[in-house]
Amino acid sequence: MDATNLPLADRAVDVCFHSGLFVCFDDNDLIQKVLREQARVSRQAFICIVHNARNEQLVQEFRRRAQQEPLYDIRFFTPEEMLELMRPYCQSVHLYPYGTLTCNRLIKYWRERHTLRLYYHLARRFWRLEQWERLMMVGYL
């Protein structure tokens, strides 16, 4: 499907979600079209996950890897960029940073997911934004 022109009625779904879609686009106008369409077809919210430009270690690692593998040649976003892109379509936008090397290791071995969710919730309060790999932006309509 064309993400800028979905074959759905207005307010056809409760929530639209994508993870990593915007990291493939340099064109903010195209991103705006996708966001406008997500707002049109969603009743409650849309969720966008992007890589965190504030995590300089992650950015450098991706640049290094991109020299060998084009898959790593992606765009990173700051929270401010995402807020600016999403605000015209949302009543409010909430940021939920997640994913760190430590957390990724824990996910691999930790069987009790509810405890891991609590860990994420608590860690978000104490870790600097620069430590998180991704930004989950939730736009409420």
Side-chain angles (χ1 to χ4, degrees):
M1 283 187 233
D2 178 354
T4 64
N5 187 21
L6 296 170
L8 300 169
D10 293 356
R11 301 174 54 85
V13 299
D14 289 328
V15 176
C16 283
F17 169 84
H18 61 80
S19 178
L21 177 65
F22 291 162
V23 303
C24 300
F25 303 123
D26 290 325
D27 183 0
N28 280 352
D29 290 334
L30 179 57
I31 291 172
Q32 290 282 329
K33 289 176 184 176
V34 173
L35 289 169
R36 186 178 312 116
E37 189 66 357
Q38 287 182 322
R40 182 187 71 79
V41 302
S42 300
R43 280 191 285 275
Q44 298 175 9
F46 54 87
I47 302 167
C48 308
I49 296 177
V50 295
H51 287 72
N52 182 9
R54 295 260 182 94
N55 185 328
E56 189 58 36
Q57 182 181 0
L58 183 68
V59 172
Q60 292 305 322
E61 178 66 17
F62 269 63
R63 285 188 181 141
R64 185 185 65 74
R65 288 183 179 204
Q67 293 173 0
Q68 305 296 320
E69 174 59 58
L71 178 67
Y72 288 95
D73 186 17
I74 65 169
R75 180 177 177 183
F76 288 78
F77 292 85
T78 65
E80 295 80 14
E81 287 175 296
M82 287 304 297
L83 285 170
E84 184 178 329
L85 288 166
M86 293 175 70
R87 250 191 212 121
Y89 311 102
C90 305
Q91 290 184 17
S92 66
V93 179
H94 295 219
L95 164 65
Y96 300 96
Y98 76 95
T100 66
L101 186 56
T102 303
C103 290
N104 291 345
R105 287 182 182 147
L106 288 174
I107 288 169
K108 194 173 183 179
Y109 300 107
W110 207 332
R111 294 178 188 240
E112 297 193 32
R113 301 289 182 189
H114 63 282
T115 310
L116 186 60
R117 283 189 205 93
L118 177 61
Y119 174 78
Y120 262 123
H121 179 71
L122 294 173
R124 237 193 319 269
R125 296 177 184 189
F126 300 105
W127 291 358
R128 295 184 332 273
L129 187 58
E130 292 79 13
Q131 294 177 277
W132 297 98
E133 290 181 3
R134 293 189 180 86
L135 308 172
M136 181 187 318
M137 307 298 295
V138 181
Y140 294 95
L141 304 174

